[in-house]
Amino acid sequence: MSYTKRLDGRKFDELREMKAIVGIVPNADGSALFAFGDTIAIAAVYGPKQLHPQHLQDPRRGILRCNYDMLSFSVPERKKPGPTRRSHEISKVTQWALSEIVNLEEFPNTVVDVHISILQANASTRCAGINAAALALAHAGIPMKEIVSSVSIGKIDDRIVVDVNKEEEEYEEGAGSTDIPMAFLARSKKIALFQLDGGIELEQLKDAIEAAEQACKKVYKIQQEALKDIR
Amino acid sequence: MSREVVIPGETIIAGEDYLPGDGVRREGNELVASRFGLAEISGRLVRIIPLSGVYIPRRGNIVIGRVIDITFNGWSIDINAPYLAFLPIIECPRFFNRYDLAENADIGDMIVAKVLNIKTRGVDLTLKGRGLGKLEKGMIIAVNSNKVPRVIGKEGSMINLIKEKSKCDIIVGQNGLIWLKGETIEDELFSEKAIKFVTERPFVEGLTEKTKEWLEEKKK
Amino acid sequence: MEISNLTKERIHDYLRAGKRFDGRGLFDYRDIVIETGISKNAEGSARVKIGDTEVVAGVKLGVSEPYPDSPDEGALISGVEHLPLSSPHFESGPPSIHAIEMARIVDRGIRESGFIDFKKLCIKEGEKAWTVFLDIYSINDAGNLMDASALAAVAALKTAHFPEYDKDADKVIFGSLTDKKLPLTESMPITLTYYKVNNAFILDPISLEEESSDMRISIAMSRQGKKVIINACQKSGEVTVAKDELISILEKAMDKWKQIEPKVAKLIDKK
């Protein structure tokens, strides 16, 4: 028994339909929406701005702060409003995924706030969030080396699939599901996010990483188009 | 001269001859964007003109700011930038009353000033210069600071056009705050609309002519 | 940037002349756009835009034991969150008092109008009833989040359907919606908030106007048969209001409500 056909009919290396729009929150210095199918993330950037209280300031560079959260009605079973351990962790890995590309040395003692909200969740929300955040940071004119693109890879039973949806995430037959969210920098090809949940052999994990790199190129293309579409 | 929207990490052009300017870095033979904006290649110089983002103060900029605090030796001013600005008393024209700073500029008042110095913890302002000082009456509108060059136009052509047609006094701060004062409310609203017309069309060629047509049509 | 003395004075000058900063009349609303069904995982959802102001609202349902004082009724739990994403003035953390107050006003409008038929939410008296979770989030604050939130709440409720419920297992099967709509009545509450700026009252302020306002009165009204009834009111802010001033605002609100209600109903139902 094996996962020979994806539950939603996609090819194994096929992402869901992506959507990216820049400039969706007029109040923000930069903002964007990014969607993988039914997973929709929005991100807004405020700053650089002076950081208070003073003891949090870094005199060498500005600080990047990320805050990821899901709206209560973004998931099938209502999520109680407010941060959870999960959202704290995702906020942190998001910040790590973005840290190397932003260059805040010009702005010591300041903060750049990145707020990410998940409007609708169907797995891969952190990846959609990172993609939206990268766009919002660029839109805010923050000095950046390059763009980061993120995608989740899954091992469903024994098959590597790209851009896992909820149904696949919950797959229980055979070897079940392994979730591997990753992010690649578009130019230097470095890995900025790498998490894994489940069970996978080394050789297959190598395939998964390769699949992630290829998929991130497709994500990047959508991000690129969205930023260039600004009028 | 060529211009194109680029995103961070994109190669703008390759070649040993080119020089990286603002927002551009060299990686081997390539010139690469280090921020989002409009890449401009002018002769050998490659630079990026920002399209969005917060105002970054530069020395000599004329800015409009709001008094947010008064200390023993000057005023703290919010100039819509990553850092607070400070206006020391010694940078005020002589007739300022040193013993009652609030009388000159109270909290919440608006001033037009020049950026004197940029330090790691803030920006120093001066009121020494023509046309600088506290703003009386009128109103303040905000536009994205990156659109200010468009609002001003070549050698002030755009802003002079708007001033003339709307019959308003206008001061444009490089930080995106604009002060307007007209004889009537209608004039002020009209000049505001004209400025919005300009800022909403950042990519249009021959914008001064188009704005002129728009102003003349709306004025009827 | 916060509002300057200069702009505040100018707003006062304008209002004295019966003009608004953006050219509107004192009681003109900006354009309203309502989009429903914006989140597939919600039982009902809506996005409301009033000018540049944007809020989203979603309805989730759950089954729980009814409150002892109303054993044959379901419940409503409303929340408003001012996302830091939506304004440079909003901070992360627990809801601010402004967000809490807003949620309370939205909640009272819905509850007191009888818009939700709570009795029909009862599954088994004293044991099981549906709870309606109504959550409202700001996406962009360009003034008047109050009325936008109340509107989004109503639009989300109007499009809400029950999820499947397995009685024997006592489990809600989320993700599979039934055709059965949330039991609502004709009494749709709409909230109008009048902001006092200097000596004038205005509706639907932009941020600058809202910031220069010292007091506001929110009025939620609904149709009960042939009459229009006032269901919830709140005066917010430190400044007092004179009696005749208050009465005149209530009268204005009544007229405005009658104009706006059919339009809003159309906007929600168009889908």
Side-chain angles (χ1 to χ4, degrees):
Chain A
M1 191 192 54
S2 145
Y3 191 63
T4 51
K5 208 163 177 262
R6 290 184 82 169
L7 292 166
D8 61 1
R10 275 184 289 157
K11 286 184 235 144
F12 290 104
D13 64 348
E14 187 180 341
L15 293 111
R16 286 172 286 179
E17 196 185 330
M18 289 180 275
K19 193 168 144 191
I21 309 170
V22 170
I24 50 146
V25 180
N27 273 349
D29 296 313
S31 61
L33 172 152
F34 192 95
F36 287 120
D38 284 344
T39 292
I40 306 173
I42 56 174
V45 168
Y46 288 91
K49 58 185 185 180
Q50 211 137 27
L51 178 58
H52 299 290
Q54 212 171 356
H55 71 87
L56 295 175
Q57 295 179 355
D58 185 337
R60 292 162 301 177
R61 64 182 69 86
I63 288 169
L64 184 72
R65 242 184 347 200
C66 293
N67 162 24
Y68 161 103
D69 205 2
M70 297 175 110
L71 302 195
S72 63
F73 53 82
S74 64
V75 279
E77 190 158 358
R78 178 178 182 264
K79 178 204 161 280
K80 260 173 100 178
T84 58
R85 293 163 78 100
R86 175 182 176 276
S87 71
H88 277 301
E89 186 202 346
I90 296 180
S91 298
K92 196 67 201 170
V93 296
T94 300
Q95 184 218 319
W96 288 332
L98 298 165
S99 281
E100 200 180 287
I101 53 171
V102 299
N103 184 358
L104 297 177
E105 274 159 26
E106 285 173 51
F107 309 107
N109 304 316
T110 66
V111 63
V112 172
D113 272 324
V114 183
H115 301 289
I116 301 166
S117 286
I118 306 301
L119 284 186
Q120 186 174 282
N122 187 321
S124 308
T125 60
R126 75 194 63 189
C127 301
I130 288 170
N131 294 334
L135 290 174
L137 281 164
H139 182 222
I142 304 293
M144 280 168 97
K145 287 193 201 88
E146 52 191 307
I147 297 288
V148 63
S149 309
S150 180
V151 73
S152 70
I153 301 297
K155 184 175 78 72
I156 311 302
D157 190 6
D158 57 1
R159 290 305 291 259
I160 295 295
V161 304
V162 160
D163 182 25
V164 183
N165 69 18
K166 193 80 200 158
E167 242 184 322
E168 289 178 327
E169 198 178 79
E170 287 165 355
Y171 193 82
E172 281 177 353
E173 285 169 53
S177 150
T178 297
D179 187 23
I180 315 165
M182 293 194 71
F184 277 82
L185 306 191
R187 185 179 178 88
S188 60
K189 316 280 182 237
K190 285 189 190 148
I191 294 165
L193 169 77
F194 178 57
Q195 292 183 291
L196 190 150
D197 253 312
I200 190 166
E201 284 181 51
L202 176 60
E203 279 314 308
Q204 213 173 8
L205 180 56
K206 287 182 188 166
D207 293 344
I209 294 170
E210 178 58 30
E213 182 168 9
Q214 294 313 316
C216 282
K217 284 183 189 161
K218 295 179 190 161
V219 173
Y220 176 66
K221 218 165 165 262
I222 302 289
Q223 290 173 303
Q224 199 176 22
E225 280 166 16
L227 274 169
K228 299 216 173 196
D229 204 32
I230 280 194
R231 276 294 176 270
Chain B
M1 199 170 80
S2 79
R3 284 179 164 190
E4 191 198 343
V5 176
V6 291
I7 76 173
E10 264 184 341
T11 301
I12 303 166
I13 199 161
E16 293 294 336
D17 285 351
Y18 292 104
L19 299 170
D22 277 351
V24 180
R25 66 179 188 271
R26 175 175 283 285
E27 274 187 22
N29 196 33
E30 296 180 352
L31 290 167
V32 182
S34 285
R35 64 170 297 161
F36 169 65
L38 212 50
E40 184 192 81
I41 305 170
S42 170
R44 293 173 64 199
L45 186 70
V46 184
R47 63 169 187 141
I48 291 180
I49 302 162
L51 291 170
S52 52
V54 300
Y55 167 66
I56 308 298
R58 303 259 182 258
R59 224 178 130 163
N61 278 177
I62 300 296
V63 294
I64 291 175
R66 180 175 151 270
V67 177
I68 60 161
D69 199 8
I70 302 176
T71 68
F72 70 97
N73 61 345
W75 297 264
S76 291
I77 313 281
D78 179 356
I79 55 164
N80 238 1
Y83 301 99
L84 272 188
F86 188 70
L87 172 64
I89 311 178
I90 47 162
E91 288 302 331
C92 291
R94 231 171 294 150
F95 50 82
F96 261 70
N97 177 2
R98 281 160 187 262
Y99 301 100
D100 186 4
L101 297 188
E103 190 191 302
N104 301 313
D106 204 355
I107 291 170
D109 282 350
M110 301 299 286
I111 59 156
V112 54
K114 191 160 85 180
V115 175
L116 184 68
N117 260 318
I118 296 158
K119 299 182 296 196
T120 49
R121 262 179 199 279
V123 173
D124 277 343
L125 300 176
T126 180
L127 288 188
K128 289 179 179 164
R130 247 187 72 201
L132 305 181
K134 186 175 146 185
L135 292 167
E136 307 278 356
K137 299 287 178 191
M139 71 180 211
I140 301 287
I141 62 164
V143 304
N144 188 295
S145 63
N146 298 292
K147 305 213 165 117
V148 164
R150 281 257 149 176
V151 175
I152 294 174
K154 260 197 198 106
E155 281 149 21
S157 56
M158 185 70 86
I159 199 65
N160 288 335
L161 178 72
I162 297 173
K163 276 184 194 170
E164 181 201 330
K165 297 284 176 194
S166 68
K167 290 179 285 186
C168 284
D169 281 342
I170 304 176
I171 299 173
V172 182
Q174 293 289 336
N175 58 341
L177 295 186
I178 300 175
W179 174 83
L180 312 166
K181 191 174 137 197
E183 290 273 307
T184 65
I185 289 169
E186 283 71 22
D187 288 347
E188 281 181 11
L189 290 175
F190 182 62
S191 65
E192 185 189 2
K193 268 197 195 138
I195 289 168
K196 290 269 146 75
F197 178 86
V198 174
T199 55
E200 279 161 11
R201 288 162 182 78
F203 291 92
V204 175
E205 296 288 328
L207 189 58
T208 313
E209 270 311 302
K210 289 207 174 74
T211 308
K212 198 170 173 186
E213 280 166 29
W214 182 88
L215 282 163
E216 270 155 16
E217 196 189 302
K218 293 281 158 174
K219 198 71 198 174
K220 278 171 203 163
Chain C
M1 179 176 276
E2 277 171 59
I3 188 164
S4 63
N5 298 348
L6 199 120
T7 305
K8 216 173 188 172
E9 269 170 42
R10 211 44 158 192
I11 289 175
H12 297 173
D13 292 344
Y14 278 30
L15 291 177
R16 263 194 292 274
K19 304 256 170 177
R20 299 280 287 271
F21 227 44
D22 54 3
R24 276 183 291 157
L26 298 186
F27 304 115
D28 291 347
Y29 246 74
R30 290 168 288 179
D31 284 344
I32 301 173
V33 179
I34 301 177
E35 215 181 304
T36 54
I38 56 137
S39 191
K40 285 190 181 165
N41 287 327
E43 273 77 79
S45 60
R47 167 182 290 124
V48 167
K49 287 188 187 178
I50 304 182
D52 268 346
T53 289
E54 179 176 338
V55 300
V56 295
V59 170
K60 292 298 298 173
L61 293 169
V63 172
S64 49
E65 203 179 306
Y67 292 116
D69 59 348
S70 52
D72 61 342
E73 288 185 5
L76 169 69
I77 297 177
S78 328
V80 168
E81 213 174 312
H82 290 161
L83 294 178
L85 171 140
S86 61
S87 162
H89 304 305
F90 296 153
E91 307 265 337
S92 310
S96 69
I97 181 61
H98 300 295
I100 293 169
E101 190 207 12
M102 236 177 238
R104 298 271 304 158
I105 294 172
V106 170
D107 188 278
R108 280 159 50 205
I110 293 166
R111 206 176 286 278
E112 302 303 331
S113 62
F115 187 47
I116 299 177
D117 188 341
F118 285 104
K119 290 236 183 325
K120 286 193 183 150
L121 292 175
C122 181
I123 299 168
K124 191 161 187 235
E125 189 170 332
E127 287 179 23
K128 298 274 166 239
W130 290 99
T131 296
V132 178
F133 294 97
L134 173 62
D135 289 296
I136 303 157
Y137 297 88
S138 60
I139 300 296
N140 193 66
D141 176 15
N144 201 16
L145 284 178
M146 179 64 243
D147 293 2
S149 299
L151 209 48
V154 165
L157 288 168
K158 274 203 114 176
T159 57
H161 286 78
F162 283 99
E164 278 191 55
Y165 173 61
D166 182 340
K167 263 191 185 154
D168 303 325
D170 182 26
K171 237 187 119 185
V172 180
I173 305 155
F174 288 108
S176 54
L177 291 181
T178 63
D179 289 338
K180 206 177 142 209
K181 289 188 127 187
L182 201 66
L184 301 176
T185 66
E186 294 292 303
S187 305
M188 175 176 79
I190 296 174
T191 302
L192 297 174
T193 303
Y194 286 77
Y195 289 74
K196 191 174 187 189
V197 182
N198 198 21
N199 288 315
F201 276 94
I202 55 169
L203 261 182
D204 188 30
I206 56 173
S207 297
L208 284 176
E209 292 168 333
E210 193 168 304
E211 282 170 47
S212 36
S213 155
D214 324 298
M215 192 259 283
R216 62 179 190 275
I217 301 169
S218 295
I219 307 153
M221 286 163 282
S222 66
R223 201 177 292 285
Q224 311 280 336
K226 289 201 164 139
K227 290 186 190 146
V228 178
I229 298 291
I230 297 170
N231 297 115
C233 288
Q234 178 111 322
K235 181 194 90 64
S236 321
E238 292 174 353
V239 172
T240 55
V241 58
K243 190 176 84 184
D244 38 346
E245 220 174 26
L246 176 62
I247 288 167
S248 128
I249 285 303
L250 291 169
E251 283 168 356
K252 284 199 176 74
M254 186 62 75
D255 290 344
K256 187 73 187 178
W257 192 93
K258 286 174 186 162
Q259 284 171 30
I260 230 170
E261 191 253 7
K263 287 184 197 159
V264 166
K266 229 169 152 184
L267 283 172
I268 298 174
D269 292 335
K270 71 168 186 255
K271 230 189 160 177

